[in-house]
Amino acid sequence: MAKVPSAVIAAGGLVGGYAVARWTRQRPLGGAVLAAAGAAAARQWRQQAGGKAAGALSAAYVAAFAASHPLAKRVGAWPSVFGVAGAVALASWAVADRRG
């Protein structure tokens, strides 16, 4: 079975977490999706690129989540979520997935 790239997991966590929170109207449920995907991505980052890279990418993941809120006020919710998810996916690919 093929391994899902960490970039896909991280971007999917950001998009999926928002989608679940929005459509279920249960923010904690969306947060659980966000956290589960972040933990799965962090595990892969650690395996593929080491602890320092995993820490930096985890910080970027959390920062992207935080940045999506004020950005949404300027460009809208979905464009904001897709933008930060793309940025995290690109960073994840560049730091961890490209090596594998």
Side-chain angles (χ1 to χ4, degrees):
M1 187 160 114
K3 184 175 177 180
V4 177
S6 61
V8 173
I9 295 170
L14 289 162
V15 173
Y18 175 69
V20 167
R22 181 173 178 132
W23 290 324
T24 65
R25 299 185 195 267
Q26 298 293 318
R27 292 180 74 176
L29 188 57
V33 170
L34 179 79
R43 190 172 24 254
Q44 278 193 304
W45 292 329
R46 193 175 317 107
Q47 290 172 350
Q48 293 172 318
K52 287 184 182 180
L57 288 167
S58 294
Y61 184 79
V62 172
F65 169 70
S68 70
H69 292 81
L71 183 60
K73 292 179 181 175
R74 296 176 90 43
V75 299
W78 281 111
S80 172
V81 170
F82 285 131
V84 300
V88 168
L90 181 60
S92 180
W93 176 82
V95 173
D97 294 333
R98 177 173 60 159
R99 298 174 182 223

